[in-house]
Every structure is written in C-alpha cells, then in structure tokens.
Amino acid sequence: MTVILSDEQAGLQSAVQDFCRRECGTLDRVREVLDPGEDSQSSALYSKIAGLGWLGIAIPEQYGGSGGTYVDQTVLFEALNRGGAPVKAIGATTTVAGCYKRFGSESQKAQALSSIAGGEIMAISISEPGAGSDVAAVSCQAKKVDGGYLINGQKTWCSYAHLAGRILLLARTSREDKAHRGLTVFEVPTNAHGIVTRRIPTMGGDEVNDVFYTDVFVPDTAVVGEVGRGFVQIMAGLDGERLLAAAVSLGIAQRALEQLVSYLNDRKQFGKALSDFQVLRHRVADLAIELECARLLTYEAAQALESNDTGRRVTELASMAKTKASETAKQVCLEGVQMMGGYGYAVEYGMEANLRHSILLPIYAGANEIQREIISGSIGLA
C-alpha cells in the first residue's frame, strides 16, 4: 500500500506543519506558550487551532465541524506531534467526540460536539485502581435515584480531567451474571458537586489524574447511549482511539528522527561529522525503514476504519498500527538519546522529552500486550 493524500489532505498537512514552525518551532517558543503549571498544553494554541477548524476535523458539519475522515484525522495528529505542538488534550477530546457521534442523543451531540469544535476540552474516564486493561472490572457505581443517578467511586489515569469541561464516565449501574454487563456511560460536568480531581506526577508531566466521585448527582439525561450497554459502546470506540495513538506515535517518531539527523550532520568528532560514520548511518537508515512501515500500516488502518467495515480485519489493523507505531517511536527516541550521547540526555536538546513521551505510547490507549492478544485471536489462534 502507498500513502496517497488528496490535495486537501496534503494542504492540511502543509498548513499544520507551517503552523507548528511558526507558533512552536523551538523549545524556547514551546516554553513561552505553555500554560502555567502545564507540560504539554497551551490554551492559546488550542484556541488558535479551534479557530482554524482543526478541532472539528472529524465532527459533522451540522455540529460545527468539517466532516473529515479518519485519514484527515490521522494527517492532523501526525503533523501536530511532528511539529511538537503543546495541544495534547486534543487526543482525549477527540476520543470523547467519537463516543458522542456514535451514541449521543441529538441534543447531546448538538451541545457537546459544537463545544468541542469551538475549543472545549473533554476527558474520558474508564480506568480505576483495580480496572485497567480489564474494562469489565469497573466498579465505580452509579445508583439510580429519583430523577437521575448518584455516582460514587474513584477513577484514575484520566487524561486532562483537570482542564476538561466535562468527563465521559463509565460506571456500573447494575450487577449482572457477566461482568461486562451493567455498565453505563454518563456525561458529567467537572464542576459538579462532589468531584475532586488530583493530578498524578509522572515522568512525562502531570497530564493524568485521579478523579474522585462522592454522591455526584447527574440527571437521567446524562446517560450517553443505553443504560447497561456502556461496555459495548466503549469497545466500539477503541479502534479509533488506537488509530489516534498510532498517528501520535508517527509524529513523535518523525520529529525525533529529524532531530537526530540534524544533530548527526552538525556534530563533529575525530575530524568529521557523525553522519559520516557508517555504523550510525545504518542505524538511522533502519529507523527510517521501521518508521515508514509503521506509517503505511497506520494509514491502511485509517482507510479501513473509514470504510465503515466493523469486521475483525479493521480491529486487527488498528491494533497492529498502534503496536507497530508506538514501539517504533520508542525505538527511534531511545536510539536518538544513545547516538546523541550526553546531549541526548540534556533537556536543552529535546530528545529526552521525546523519549519520556514515547515510553508512554505502548501503554496508553490499550497496552500493547492487549493489542497482541487481539491480533493473535484475529489471525486464528485459539
């Protein structure tokens, strides 16, 4: 397969790359535009990309978006991460948008999707201290009361909940004979009484959160989709989330590769540029090969998702793309640190930041161990 972009998609790619060079093209510029206390989010840049229509790229036109495709979305995410744009909250927000598109009521879609296209950050809350890869183990409870539900429990690893206007929450509404039954998705405003958000410091920054719910009331109209069908709804969106993770990985890997090539061309040792040493040249060539393989697989998955084929092959491709792209990104960044030596380890040069972000990629959006389980089942292993 060859990645062939339409004129519009090529134009989008070029526009995003130009935007990143202009707005956040250096590490100093990134630090200037970051919000206070944030490592990867700039409200100023987020507002600008909303104004350019990029936040609504996959949102239908009737809700304020541009009605773009999965390929358009992949182009955008790859280019933003290649350019190092500190607008990381777009990932979780786009996942939320996908859930509203598939399962939201007309009034929910009209309100939420237009808000997302206009620049509102949203979060999705699934994981718990005892429920990560095992989504069916969710125990956060939503108890039916007059006019709505009372939510109690703890969620964790919730990306950008501290900046979000609302959270899509997966909670248990009943106990059934099978664990995956009895789960429901709710939209919860983050300013609701009884919500406490606590940021979790990590090696990549403070973008994830614990969120505690104590007698948080939401009305019946807060149910997104069907009561008791939350597990199925969440599973339906995972292929799209995996594709976004793959696109992010491509961008980070491409950025790291370009930085490495520039460094090797400029840095001189033993009287010649490091790029003249065959041992390094061939290692970089191998990285470029792996990255191109990951890119082809990712765009094939995007095209498969766009075909609306919900068969096993789509899920297989999405899992393959997420696994390959994320592990390639980590490999490129690790090699980048090694080949740049002490400068790769120094904050000033940026490669260490690439590495810190890349280490998360094989973990989030479904750990790669889970992706391999999905793939092995898809190819016929019992």
Side-chain angles (χ1 to χ4, degrees):
M1 174 198 167
T2 301
V3 176
I4 301 176
L5 302 180
S6 67
D7 290 343
E8 291 79 7
Q9 289 162 347
L12 171 65
Q13 183 182 66
S14 178
V16 176
Q17 290 171 353
D18 288 344
F19 175 88
C20 291
R21 279 191 291 267
R22 184 174 65 252
E23 300 288 344
C24 53
T26 66
L27 286 175
D28 286 341
R29 181 60 179 144
V30 170
R31 295 183 185 113
E32 288 174 6
V33 300
L34 283 173
D35 293 343
E38 297 296 331
D39 301 288
S40 57
Q41 187 65 21
S42 164
S43 56
L45 291 193
Y46 205 78
S47 294
K48 287 183 179 181
I49 66 173
L52 291 166
W54 295 342
L55 293 182
I57 193 166
I59 291 174
E61 293 180 9
Q62 64 264 40
Y63 306 120
S66 56
T69 67
Y70 279 107
V71 176
D72 297 333
Q73 194 170 273
T74 302
V75 169
L76 174 65
F77 273 69
E78 180 182 2
L80 283 174
N81 284 275
R82 179 181 181 180
V87 289
K88 302 293 187 182
I90 189 176
T93 303
T94 300
T95 300
V96 169
C99 191
Y100 273 113
K101 281 168 57 180
R102 285 185 296 274
F103 303 108
S105 66
E106 188 57 37
S107 61
Q108 286 172 340
K109 287 190 284 191
Q111 206 286 322
L113 293 179
S114 61
S115 295
I116 289 172
E120 182 179 343
I121 293 170
M122 297 190 190
I124 188 163
S125 193
I126 301 172
S127 296
E128 298 178 5
S133 297
D134 184 7
V135 175
V138 161
S139 62
C140 180
Q141 184 181 44
K143 182 180 180 180
K144 187 72 179 77
V145 295
D146 186 29
Y149 294 81
L150 278 181
I151 300 171
N152 284 279
Q154 178 187 351
K155 293 291 185 176
T156 193
W157 308 120
C158 187
S159 298
Y160 296 100
H162 62 289
L163 298 178
R166 76 192 77 182
I167 296 172
L168 276 191
L169 167 73
L170 183 67
R172 185 163 295 282
T173 45
S174 64
R175 293 285 176 183
E176 306 290 344
D177 57 337
K178 294 186 177 179
H180 68 275
R181 296 176 179 171
L183 296 170
T184 303
V185 177
F186 297 90
E187 57 174 2
V188 185
T190 53
N191 61 0
H193 180 72
I195 292 181
V196 174
T197 299
R198 184 181 67 195
R199 298 174 75 173
I200 303 172
T202 70
M203 67 186 296
D206 297 346
E207 63 191 44
V208 292
N209 303 266
D210 284 318
V211 185
F212 302 88
Y213 299 83
T214 305
D215 288 337
V216 177
F217 175 80
V218 294
D220 290 323
T221 54
V223 173
V224 178
E226 299 179 44
V227 174
R229 296 275 294 170
F231 180 87
V232 175
Q233 293 171 201
I234 292 298
M235 292 298 108
L238 291 185
D239 287 342
E241 186 181 20
R242 292 166 188 143
L243 178 64
L244 292 182
V248 168
S249 300
L250 291 181
I252 291 174
Q254 186 65 49
R255 177 178 177 82
L257 186 65
E258 291 169 357
Q259 290 175 339
L260 176 58
V261 168
S262 177
Y263 176 85
L264 294 178
N265 282 332
D266 291 342
R267 175 73 167 166
K268 289 182 171 54
Q269 289 287 278
F270 305 104
K272 57 182 178 180
L274 289 181
S275 58
D276 289 332
F277 291 89
Q278 187 183 71
V279 65
L280 298 182
R281 294 172 63 86
H282 287 190
R283 283 165 68 181
V284 175
D286 286 341
L287 295 176
I289 292 168
E290 295 302 312
L291 178 53
E292 191 59 25
C293 290
R295 180 172 290 111
L296 292 170
L297 186 53
T298 299
Y299 278 87
E300 183 180 4
Q303 291 179 351
L305 273 166
E306 199 56 47
S307 71
N308 292 319
D309 181 355
T310 56
R312 270 190 169 185
R313 179 60 176 163
V314 174
T315 296
E316 178 186 329
L317 284 172
S319 292
M320 286 180 171
K322 192 271 176 178
T323 302
K324 178 63 176 177
S326 63
E327 293 183 359
T328 298
K330 186 170 77 169
Q331 180 187 7
V332 171
C333 295
L334 278 168
E335 288 276 26
V337 170
Q338 180 66 31
M339 283 187 257
M340 289 176 65
Y343 293 103
Y345 195 64
V347 172
E348 178 185 357
Y349 280 75
M351 189 60 74
E352 62 81 32
N354 294 331
L355 177 59
R356 284 189 287 108
H357 290 299
S358 74
I359 287 172
L360 175 63
L361 298 173
I363 300 172
Y364 95 117
N368 285 0
E369 289 79 3
I370 297 297
Q371 306 311 316
R372 286 183 167 88
E373 276 297 297
I374 293 169
I375 295 163
S376 61
S378 183
I379 63 177
L381 293 174

